[in-house]
Amino acid sequence: MSFKALLVERDEEGNTSASVQELEDSRLPDGDVVVAVEYSTVNYKDGLCVGPGGGLVRTYPHVPGIDFAGTVESSTDSRYKAGDKVVLTGWRVGEVWWGGYSQKASVKADWLVPLPDGLTTQQAMAVGTAGITAMLAVMALEKHGLKPGQGPVLVTGAAGGVGSVATAILSNLGHEVAAVTGRPETADYLKELGATTIVAREELSETVKKPLEAETWAGCVDAVGGDMLARVLGQLKYGASAASIGLAGGAKLPATVIPFLLRGVNLLGIDSVMQPYENRLAAWQKLSESLPMDKLEGMIQPATLAELPELGARILKGQVKGRVVVDVNA
Ligand code: NDP
């Protein structure tokens, strides 16, 4: 028995190369559940792992793909049986464990969730890690008091994966959405997802000069970090929160504590990788209720395993729009 996968190999000089190969089933890692993968996707971390890994990959040869959806082929865990539809995001699968860029995956049962009602495996991967992270961010903002009608909610890195899903969810929940993008040509796409205002990246990328600016945003889902997040903190309305999910613009936070002390704003950290099972189920449930499927369809760019090396390089340059959905059997 064999399966096709994108295998990343490293030579003695440390150079990596990725190619689609036919592998024997015996090479799969030792998990509880073997899944016939149907779809995977391309996240920023996948871009790193398809290339030299950026410190995320521990051993080579490696199969990347930090998320997937498919059908259980066999299971030694009583929670899953052959034929069950399942989804996996996080748990460092695709980084330290062989992932979803493959027709087969063998994983721990604890890492899976049942495919949410009302979603196909393709739609679940259009959501993927980016979408579940966007949902966790919106849920955290709501938990800290965000309600529709309080003013515009800012989404940074809006044309990317997390940003696109966050824009669509927030808009559907009744929020006014201001979408920050460095790609003006994506304005129509972002408006179709529900953004009411487009903010040019340059307007927010200058380093903080004044710790407090006009109170503008009722909340923020931030995929960018760096100077932009530092600026946004000083522009949040009194008591509002920013959910920090990513570092597309940088890992540093050159901010002052003044917005916390004088405006009582909150900075909320969002991690999707180690979220407990119950939180994942809650996020998937809320996603299937609050993400309109026509908007999700509008974000999808289809891809095959062979296209992944090029797509991985492009996502690292911020050149991928919306959600790439990889049909591993195409
Ligand atoms: P994408 O590449 O799809 O989106 C990132 C977007 O950020 C780009 O599309 C671009 O949007 C914007 N951007 C890129 N470079 C810069 C820059 N130098 N300055 C300002 N904006 C920039 O990636 P994802 O949406 O998949 O992931 C976004 C971030 O979230 C990544 O850092 C990723 O590692 C992180 N992440 C974290 C997770 C967690 O659990 N916390 C889970 C998933 C992702 P535009 O063109 O519109 O400006």
Side-chain angles (χ1 to χ4, degrees):
M1 296 280 275
S2 65
F3 61 96
K4 241 179 3 172
L6 185 83
L7 196 71
V8 183
E9 296 171 291
R10 190 168 60 179
D11 65 19
E12 280 161 16
E13 276 88 50
N15 302 311
T16 56
S17 59
S19 60
V20 179
Q21 297 191 21
E22 194 76 30
L23 305 175
E24 296 295 317
D25 277 17
S26 57
R27 293 189 68 181
L28 282 169
D30 196 14
D32 317 318
V33 184
V34 176
V35 179
V37 178
E38 289 160 26
Y39 294 96
S40 185
T41 174
V42 179
N43 299 278
Y44 191 86
K45 263 187 187 174
D46 293 314
L48 295 172
C49 297
V50 168
L56 299 175
V57 179
R58 291 287 154 76
T59 51
Y60 291 90
H62 177 67
V63 175
I66 66 165
D67 45 21
F68 63 77
T71 306
V72 171
E73 198 174 278
S74 63
S75 171
T76 58
D77 186 284
S78 59
R79 286 169 287 178
Y80 296 99
K81 59 177 188 325
D84 288 348
K85 299 277 184 192
V86 288
V87 181
L88 183 143
T89 62
W91 301 110
R92 305 204 65 200
V93 171
E95 302 173 42
V96 297
W97 190 274
W98 280 17
Y101 290 171
S102 173
Q103 291 174 318
K104 265 186 207 179
S106 173
V107 294
K108 302 248 163 79
D110 287 348
W111 300 340
L112 294 166
V113 295
L115 180 72
D117 286 343
L119 288 185
T120 63
T121 48
Q122 190 204 27
Q123 288 166 334
M125 276 303 101
V127 173
T129 299
I132 197 100
T133 308
M135 190 72 251
L136 289 166
V138 172
M139 287 163 79
L141 291 176
E142 287 178 337
K143 198 171 157 195
H144 283 78
L146 177 67
K147 289 190 185 65
Q150 291 174 337
V153 181
L154 195 70
V155 175
T156 69
V162 177
S164 293
V165 183
T167 300
I169 294 172
L170 284 162
S171 157
N172 199 53
L173 289 172
H175 297 280
E176 197 184 321
V177 181
V180 185
T181 184
R183 291 179 278 178
E185 68 277 15
T186 61
D188 287 345
Y189 163 77
L190 291 168
K191 283 184 183 157
E192 269 164 37
L193 294 183
T196 38
T197 317
I198 306 298
V199 180
R201 187 189 291 178
E202 308 81 71
E203 281 184 37
L204 287 171
S205 45
E206 219 176 277
T207 309
V208 168
K209 292 204 181 80
K210 292 188 286 178
L212 294 178
E213 298 183 67
E215 291 185 45
T216 310
W217 316 115
C220 172
V221 175
D222 175 60
V224 170
D227 285 318
M228 192 174 292
L229 177 57
R231 267 309 276 293
V232 169
L233 289 174
Q235 298 180 353
L236 288 173
K237 288 178 186 269
Y238 190 90
S241 305
S244 166
I245 67 97
L247 42 59
K252 291 201 171 136
L253 185 57
T256 77
V257 294
I258 302 295
F260 303 116
L261 312 185
L262 298 190
R263 291 213 180 128
V265 305
N266 308 296
L267 181 56
L268 313 175
I270 306 298
D271 166 60
S272 66
V273 178
M274 307 304 286
Q275 284 289 329
Y277 182 75
E278 289 68 28
N279 294 1
R280 284 165 199 269
L281 284 188
W284 277 109
Q285 178 62 33
K286 189 144 188 199
L287 264 165
S288 58
E289 293 160 8
S290 53
L291 180 59
M293 287 306 127
D294 58 327
K295 289 189 179 171
L296 186 66
E297 301 291 339
M299 294 175 207
I300 297 178
Q301 178 189 334
T304 64
L305 287 178
E307 291 167 331
L308 286 166
E310 193 218 326
L311 285 163
R314 280 183 48 210
I315 200 164
L316 295 182
K317 293 187 200 139
Q319 292 172 351
V320 168
K321 189 179 88 178
R323 302 285 299 134
V324 176
V325 177
V326 185
D327 179 349
V328 300
N329 299 299

